Every structure is written in C-alpha cells, then in structure tokens.
Amino acid sequence: MGKRNWISVLAASGWLLLAPPSGAGELSAAALETAHEVTRSQASAELLRRPALRDLDEVLASGHINIGLYQDFPPYAYRDEQGEARGIDAEIGRAIAAGLGVEFRPFWIKPGSSLGRDLGNSVSRGHYLRPTQVADVMMRVPYDRDFSYMRDSTGEYINKSVVMFGPYQREQWDIAYDAGRLEGEVTLGSFRQQRIGAEYDTLPATYLTATMGGQLRDGVRHYRDVGDAFAAMARGEVAGVMAMRGELEHYLAQYPQHDFHLAEAVFPGISRQQWDIGMAVRESHRQLGYAVEAIVDRALREGRLGDIFQAHALVYRMPDFYAEILGQTE
C-alpha cells in the first residue's frame, strides 16, 4: 500500500472529548522532573541529530502529543483554508489528546515509497530532512498480523522497531461509476469499452493496467489524486474511478448533481480487498500505545467513532477485530 497504501463541525462542539485524567492540570514534583528530562532529551536530540522519542510519561509531562497524519488525504486528514488539521483521523487524534489531557498537535506525513519507510521516517528513526522529529502516534496503519511480523531474507523482523495496534476502521478497494454511462451491474469487465481513472502511484493505478490480461490498459487514466479523478468523471473523461472506499464516499457526496454510484466490485488477483486500519507507536513505547488504544476502544464501543464518520459523509465499517466480538459489521 505504497501511498497510504493512505468541514468538520465536531471539534468545536467538543462532543467527542473524553474526560482527562484527574489532576491533569497540576504537575507533581515527579512530573516536573520528567518535564525537565524531556527538555534535556530534546536538546540532546538536536545535538546528536536523533529523534526525541517520548514515552507516555514524557508525553503527559510535555502537555502535548504529536499525532502522525498523512497529508493531503481527504476525508482522513488535510488542512483547511486556515491551515487547521481536519478529517476523520484528525478528529480521532483530538479525541486521543483530550483523553490524555494534553494538546493535540498534527505531525504531517508525506507518503513515501512504502508503508515500512513511512513507519521508519515518522515513528521509529525520523526522516533525514527532519531527523529530530517523529510522531508519538501514527494514524492509518494497516492492522495486519502478517505484515507486523514480516521477516527479511535473514530472518529479522522488518517492522521490529514499531508496534501496530488499535484497529478502528475497516477499509476496502472499490469503484465509483457514472450510471449515465454504465448500465446494469458494474464490474471490471464494464470498462473494456469505457475509460477508468486512478490516482498515480497507488495499487489501483498498477492493478488496472495489468488485470484481465491487460484488457483495460488502454482505457486507464492516471490523475494527481482521487479528487482530480472525480472531476474528470464529472467532465465525462472517464466512466469510473477506483480507489479506497472512504475516498470514494467522500467525493460522491461532493457531486450530488451527478448520477454517481458505488459498484461493490470484486477484484480478482488482489489477495485482500478489505483490511483493518489501526495505529502505530515505537516498539519501546507500548505503555503509550495501551493508553491510546483504551481511548479509541471506548470511543468505538460507545458509537462516537461512527458519529465522526457520519459527519464526514462516510459509512462507518467496524474493523473485523471488533465485529467478531460485538457481532456487528458496520
């Protein structure tokens, strides 16, 4: 999943804010000493050009938490006209910060060539352009046991520096199409004679050019992002767009005047069409992960995550991890 591969009105109302820990506004002598240690560790990080990796105590003492968000990724995370962080993951990040009793600070992540690189650059070691900066928690990480415990050719764990936890959404690949140009049940085969759009450097862009023995290749059009692909569909340049379900639902809501629909398509050759989305922290900071997971777990079970998705015009799909426990699929 190379790329992600990944106007909220809720923040102002404060309906998702969870009660902060008792005494969060008062720092004990031990907490003050921890704060001094944080300051010293940050100074040392600058001197050595290494990231200031912060555990739960250091996050609480500092009064803020850095939440890693993929940039320019509506409806999940993006900046509004005032530069404020908006989107589903930003709202969940604010809930996490409120639950810990600290300030929410977005840590913007530019997608790299692979998820493993994103995890290293943003959580465990820092990017060479900002070597002293990392996120405390990274959002929108696939919750996948096989990926978490993947080994290299020497038998070493590839992702041993991070822990992936806390599934909070189920995502999937799908197709949105123009019903004015395609009739009946829409499948991949419907695009043998019609053009279909996809975002550059994503799985759909690669998949569509290769699937069905290359029968769709000549009709595939690549765009800067899913928003541009939808604009092209509105202009009649393509009859469909393949992307993640959440992105498709977001842009469908922006074109109510058009007869655009979801196809519920099946994609032969893609081993996993649906997957759970979770979070990640550095491997040595599991205590922070446990605290964050408890906040998100409570919000999910009480239905507040579903409210966030609904406010962004998305259908909330409960991750399989919870669907098996709670007996719900959405």
Side-chain angles (χ1 to χ4, degrees), residues 49-69:
R49 305 301 290 166
R50 295 176 181 172
L53 303 171
R54 311 186 319 150
D55 60 22
L56 176 60
D57 289 339
E58 291 170 327
V59 167
L60 295 177
S62 72
H64 72 273
I65 185 169
N66 300 310
I67 301 291
L69 306 170

Side-chain angles (χ1 to χ4, degrees), residues 270-283:
I270 295 182
S271 59
R272 183 165 298 179
Q273 185 172 331
Q274 300 182 356
W275 63 96
D276 284 356
I277 294 292
M279 300 167 283
V281 295
R282 186 172 173 81
E283 191 278 335

Side-chain angles (χ1 to χ4, degrees), residues 169-248:
Q169 179 203 355
R170 190 174 79 240
E171 187 57 276
Q172 68 183 69
W173 299 114
D174 214 332
I175 290 175
Y177 68 96
D178 185 347
R181 301 177 63 184
L182 295 171
E183 298 181 355
E185 182 179 357
V186 174
T187 66
L188 281 173
S190 304
F191 296 94
R192 289 190 179 95
Q193 305 299 325
Q194 294 280 0
R195 292 186 296 272
I196 184 170
E199 182 178 355
Y200 280 112
D201 297 326
T202 59
L203 183 146
T206 302
Y207 174 77
L208 290 171
T209 59
T211 190
M212 298 173 60
Q215 295 181 48
L216 309 183
R217 183 183 298 117
D218 292 342
V220 178
R221 298 292 181 269
H222 296 168
Y223 296 92
R224 182 187 63 178
D225 54 35
V226 178
D228 281 355
F230 260 81
M233 186 160 63
R235 296 191 299 267
E237 295 176 11
V238 296
V241 176
M242 180 178 174
M244 284 185 283
R245 181 68 170 261
E247 292 180 290
L248 296 177

Side-chain angles (χ1 to χ4, degrees), residues 21-306:
S22 60
E26 300 179 1
L27 291 178
S28 64
L32 287 172
E33 177 58 27
T34 302
H36 291 314
E37 290 178 1
V38 171
T39 303
R40 290 195 293 271
S41 68
Q42 290 173 339
S44 298
E46 289 289 347
L47 179 63
L48 300 175
R49 305 301 290 166
R50 295 176 181 172
L53 303 171
R54 311 186 319 150
D55 60 22
L56 176 60
D57 289 339
E58 291 170 327
V59 167
L60 295 177
S62 72
H64 72 273
I65 185 169
N66 300 310
I67 301 291
L69 306 170
Y70 277 113
Q71 65 183 33
D72 304 324
F73 190 21
Y76 298 118
Y78 59 94
R79 295 180 180 90
D80 64 16
E81 295 179 354
Q82 288 71 45
E84 292 293 319
R86 300 298 180 194
I88 289 169
D89 289 344
E91 295 306 323
I92 296 175
R94 288 187 172 91
I96 291 170
L100 294 175
V102 297
E103 175 192 353
F104 161 75
R105 292 187 184 179
F107 181 92
W108 294 107
I109 300 170
K110 183 177 181 180
S113 58
S114 68
L115 174 60
R117 188 176 296 274
D118 292 347
L119 288 166
N121 291 340
S122 306
V123 179
S124 62
R125 64 175 179 267
H127 192 277
Y128 71 91
L129 292 178
R130 51 180 185 185
T132 65
Q133 302 175 40
V134 292
D136 299 311
V137 179
M138 180 175 168
M139 306 296 294
R140 199 141 297 273
V141 175
Y143 183 78
D144 183 273
R145 182 178 179 83
D146 292 337
F147 179 78
S148 298
Y149 294 99
M150 188 180 298
R151 297 174 183 265
D152 61 20
S153 58
T154 67
E156 289 290 322
Y157 288 115
I158 294 175
N159 300 303
K160 63 182 179 181
S161 296
V162 299
V163 174
M164 286 163 268
F165 67 99
Y168 61 90
Q169 179 203 355
R170 190 174 79 240
E171 187 57 276
Q172 68 183 69
W173 299 114
D174 214 332
I175 290 175
Y177 68 96
D178 185 347
R181 301 177 63 184
L182 295 171
E183 298 181 355
E185 182 179 357
V186 174
T187 66
L188 281 173
S190 304
F191 296 94
R192 289 190 179 95
Q193 305 299 325
Q194 294 280 0
R195 292 186 296 272
I196 184 170
E199 182 178 355
Y200 280 112
D201 297 326
T202 59
L203 183 146
T206 302
Y207 174 77
L208 290 171
T209 59
T211 190
M212 298 173 60
Q215 295 181 48
L216 309 183
R217 183 183 298 117
D218 292 342
V220 178
R221 298 292 181 269
H222 296 168
Y223 296 92
R224 182 187 63 178
D225 54 35
V226 178
D228 281 355
F230 260 81
M233 186 160 63
R235 296 191 299 267
E237 295 176 11
V238 296
V241 176
M242 180 178 174
M244 284 185 283
R245 181 68 170 261
E247 292 180 290
L248 296 177
E249 289 179 338
H250 171 72
Y251 286 106
L252 282 172
Q254 296 189 19
Y255 289 88
Q257 71 276 25
H258 292 270
D259 197 13
F260 294 165
H261 299 275
L262 288 170
E264 300 287 352
V266 176
F267 302 101
I270 295 182
S271 59
R272 183 165 298 179
Q273 185 172 331
Q274 300 182 356
W275 63 96
D276 284 356
I277 294 292
M279 300 167 283
V281 295
R282 186 172 173 81
E283 191 278 335
S284 56
H285 295 166
R286 290 174 181 267
Q287 187 179 14
L288 173 61
Y290 296 148
V292 169
E293 186 173 34
I295 294 169
V296 175
D297 175 88
R298 180 180 173 188
L300 188 154
R301 291 173 183 271
E302 294 180 352
R304 284 171 287 174
L305 287 192

